[in-house]
Amino acid sequence: MSNESVYVLEAARRNGFSNRENFQNFFECWLTEQNQRLQDLVSASESYKLQNQNQSERETALHELINRVIHHYEHYYNAKSHWVKEDVLSMLSPSWRTTLEDAFLWIGGWRPSMAFHLLYSKSGIQLEAALAEFLRGLPTADLGELSPNQLVRVDELHLRTVGEEREITEKLARQHETVADPSMVELSHAVSEMMRDDESGSSSGIVNQERVDTVIGEKERRLEGILQIADELRMRTLKGVIEILSPIEAVHFLIAAAELHLRIHDWGKRREARDNNNNNNNNQEEEEVQPNGVEVGS
């Protein structure tokens, strides 16, 4: 594991996890390391085709690499769990992700069932690309020839994951509804009354900030629990898919997962940079026009 994200995590442990900028630094380091892991996976998939080692040696090397990649994901969720305890709201609406990524987030991260859609998509693409070899009975050494037994196991895992996903979504929905429960409605009215009294000069000061913090804090703790359960399902789903696949198939799946994650993040950053540039240009054009609508220098 690269020292960068480990160093940021250790520094946060010493200084506290409340600073969201610390997690953003950690996340950027982790992304850099994920790109390094991606290059390792691609190199391993290409070396596997050369068959310059016996089958056992090649699979042992792949297992070691797969374990390193899984540990890298575990490192992310371990770090995230510390920050969640301090600032769950930021983790649910992460400022370090782009608006493009935000549009596809499920409880602060990727939807677990997405792993199966990714697997099916990559399997179909690779099968189509190597269809001639497949029909001749040649091994594809990728996701293009999943066995019937593997497909049954994937389907079973998919159904279990969707069921757990639904339960977590329902828990979150119930928590959303508590924003209008009696405690919140009574508290919002009491605070509003106090503000109106302040304006009229007859404030009774019956509501203090401690009471507000207590009510909001309880709801944050419930959100924290839901986010932790969601992250556990994400990690468990990833491991479950890997266990079903052969080592070389797992490598191709992890390549597809990393590529999708990194490219969506990149596309989001480019889109935001382009939008910011367009907004700056529009503002500059407006500044170059006088109040009467006549352009400066015309």
Side-chain angles (χ1 to χ4, degrees), residues 46-55 57-58:
E46 293 173 349
S47 298
Y48 187 86
K49 297 176 183 178
L50 299 178
Q51 298 185 356
N52 52 7
Q53 296 175 303
N54 64 44
Q55 185 73 8
E57 291 176 340
R58 288 191 295 161

Side-chain angles (χ1 to χ4, degrees), residues 146-166:
L146 296 177
S147 70
N149 178 58
Q150 285 177 306
L151 291 174
V152 169
R153 293 174 64 192
V154 168
D155 185 59
E156 292 173 347
L157 179 60
H158 189 179
L159 290 176
R160 289 198 303 271
T161 302
V162 169
E164 291 186 62
E165 203 176 82
R166 186 179 297 113

